[in-house]
Amino acid sequence: MKLTTADSLSLQRYLDREMSTEQAEAFRRRLAAEPALRAAAAEREAIADGFALARQDVRRAPAGFASAVLAEVRQLPARVQLEAAATAAVVLRVCRRVLIAAAVLAGVALAVQAGLFETGLGEQLQAAPDEVQAEMHRLDELAKGLDAPLVEQRAEPRRR
Amino acid sequence: MFALKRSPETDTPDRELITAVLDGSESAFATLVERYQDRVFRLLGRYCRDAAECEDLAQDVFLKVFRKLHTFQHESQFFTWVYRITVNAATDHLAKAGRRRLRLVEDEATLDAVGRDRDVDGPDAPLLRSELAQVTRAILDELPEKFRTILVLREFEELSYNEIAAVLQCQLGTVESRLFRARQRFREHLERAHPELVPALAAVTGSTVSRGGSK
């Protein structure tokens, strides 16, 4: 039988010794009573044993490692300079982020200005059809007025 | 250049050593390095098998510890702070180098070989126990970095949930859920690579439910 997630998490907490004494005691009673829980626990334990075997293979620091580190430390600038450099790095990081944010905002503003995004302003600027018609008529009349002197000028030499 | 003073420190608490280092004591820093070098090497060894690379990384870790020591706020234990720097150094290194390159060839061979035509109750059983360690390490190498790190901290370094939360700077609930998923993923990998090994594990290791309990 498959365990619920809640039971699996409880089992994990129990095997990792992350329960209080009372919780552990109550869980131990459940383990004794529930074979499915006991089987899941045994399997988890077996995998943990694999880790325990792998754990034995450890790397240790070679002799003289601390001296080598100290030799490197001696090459570092004075503590005051290190702290100043760390502060400068933080300030630089903040400035860089502010600049990036400003550049992004400027880019978005330019894109909006260039009409790359739908703003809804275009719809507001559209005139009513009657207004457009009236304006077209007015422009036609104006054009006729401008053409009239030209027509007269072209007709005059023939008369002469 | 870093101004150095000599002062005798042996069993001094971390807090006092840190203050002494910040005041310019070389021997205080040497004591801190000697106190934590094996733990740092052990942790790095879970990520990187090459001894020279491991030593370079460990040196980087301690130089970073030295450089950043003034930022340590004593809100957590010093070793969890050192572990955080170590884990970050190891995972950065893996990301840069490409984790597959770092895997030992012998691990790949072991993954293929272990459990094949082997009678776990037979005379090979002790051999299987030793190979099981290599299979475990090899599967761990295959896991995503987040799962691998949390399993390393719990199963190898045996840190408590609170300590893991301090190292990874996350909530206790995140530790529990990530650990749960990591173990699920580990089991899936084990089952996929060595289906015959899963039921056999209990027999080989002789597991009974004995590990659990209270804090």
Side-chain angles (χ1 to χ4, degrees):
Chain A
M1 198 179 77
K2 200 169 157 57
L3 294 187
T4 63
T5 306
D7 278 347
S8 298
L9 283 171
S10 294
L11 176 64
Q12 174 174 269
R13 244 173 267 141
Y14 174 77
L15 293 174
D16 288 339
R17 296 180 183 275
E18 290 285 340
M19 282 182 168
S20 66
T21 315
E22 298 77 35
Q23 287 172 328
E25 192 48 51
F27 197 81
R28 215 169 281 129
R29 281 196 295 275
R30 279 195 63 193
L31 269 178
E34 297 175 36
L37 203 56
R38 219 165 36 244
E43 189 189 286
R44 245 295 312 275
E45 286 262 270
I47 290 174
D49 284 343
F51 280 106
L53 290 168
R55 194 186 303 144
Q56 290 159 14
D57 173 26
V58 290
R59 192 177 294 285
R60 290 191 186 283
F65 174 75
S67 305
V69 171
L70 288 180
E72 288 291 322
V73 161
R74 287 190 194 106
Q75 305 300 316
L76 293 176
R79 166 72 51 196
V80 178
Q81 284 172 277
L82 282 176
E83 290 177 15
T87 309
V90 170
V91 171
L92 194 69
R93 195 161 57 237
V94 170
C95 288
R96 200 184 300 145
R97 282 177 188 172
V98 168
L99 279 175
I100 290 169
V104 169
L105 280 175
V108 170
L110 280 173
V112 169
Q113 189 73 19
L116 292 178
F117 297 121
E118 294 268 342
T119 60
L121 292 173
E123 286 168 22
Q124 285 175 13
L125 290 174
Q126 275 182 3
D130 291 348
E131 272 182 59
V132 173
Q133 201 63 40
E135 184 65 14
M136 293 296 286
H137 185 69
R138 195 180 66 80
L139 288 172
D140 286 345
E141 289 300 314
L142 196 66
K144 274 180 199 167
L146 288 171
D147 285 346
L150 285 174
V151 173
E152 282 171 17
Q153 277 174 12
R154 280 176 200 152
E156 261 177 34
R158 275 183 211 164
R159 251 182 260 151
R160 273 179 210 158
Chain B
M1 291 281 281
F2 173 56
L4 302 171
K5 293 178 199 166
R6 288 264 167 200
S7 64
E9 294 102 0
T10 46
D11 296 330
T12 324
D14 287 348
R15 185 183 277 267
E16 286 177 33
L17 288 173
I18 291 163
T19 309
V21 174
L22 293 177
D23 285 343
S25 165
E26 180 190 72
S27 57
F29 189 63
T31 308
L32 279 177
V33 173
E34 278 160 11
R35 189 171 288 177
Y36 293 105
Q37 61 183 10
D38 281 338
R39 294 181 87 165
V40 167
F41 266 85
R42 195 176 62 202
L43 185 53
L44 288 172
R46 305 299 179 198
Y47 292 89
C48 166
R49 303 284 158 68
D50 183 83
E53 268 181 326
C54 218
E55 196 171 334
D56 287 347
L57 276 177
Q59 203 163 69
D60 288 347
V61 165
F62 282 108
L63 285 177
K64 197 161 190 178
V65 165
F66 183 81
R67 275 198 210 99
K68 303 263 177 185
L69 201 57
H70 65 282
T71 66
F72 178 62
Q73 300 293 313
H74 298 280
E75 286 162 354
S76 58
Q77 293 183 74
F78 182 62
F79 92 88
T80 60
W81 188 71
V82 175
Y83 264 39
R84 193 186 310 154
I85 292 174
T86 310
V87 167
N88 288 341
T91 52
D92 284 353
H93 177 73
L94 284 186
K96 280 179 197 158
R99 57 191 300 170
R100 290 187 184 280
R101 190 176 65 77
L102 297 174
R103 277 202 348 249
L104 271 187
V105 177
E106 70 185 50
D107 281 342
E108 290 182 47
T110 306
L111 257 179
D112 292 338
V114 172
R116 226 172 18 214
D117 305 325
R118 201 178 287 284
D119 176 8
V120 293
D121 293 326
D124 287 335
L127 180 64
L128 184 59
R129 280 177 67 89
S130 68
E131 286 178 341
L132 188 59
Q134 286 178 314
V135 169
T136 300
R137 281 210 318 266
I139 291 175
L140 207 56
D141 284 353
E142 295 293 325
L143 294 182
E145 180 272 318
K146 275 185 176 179
F147 292 156
R148 179 186 190 176
T149 294
I150 204 154
L151 282 174
V152 163
L153 293 176
R154 175 63 217 172
E155 299 289 357
F156 289 147
E157 300 305 312
E158 299 180 278
L159 300 191
S160 70
Y161 290 1
N162 275 319
E163 289 167 338
I164 295 173
V167 173
L168 301 180
Q169 290 187 294
C170 63
Q171 300 292 314
L172 216 53
T174 309
V175 172
E176 270 194 81
S177 59
R178 200 182 291 173
L179 197 51
F180 180 66
R181 284 200 215 101
R183 281 170 170 151
Q184 265 185 331
R185 192 72 76 86
F186 181 91
R187 195 193 182 288
E188 284 164 15
H189 275 247
L190 182 66
E191 218 164 17
R192 204 163 41 238
H194 299 284
E196 74 288 349
L197 217 56
V198 177
L201 274 170
V204 173
T205 61
S207 278
T208 52
V209 186
S210 58
R211 205 177 258 116
S214 54
K215 289 178 187 178

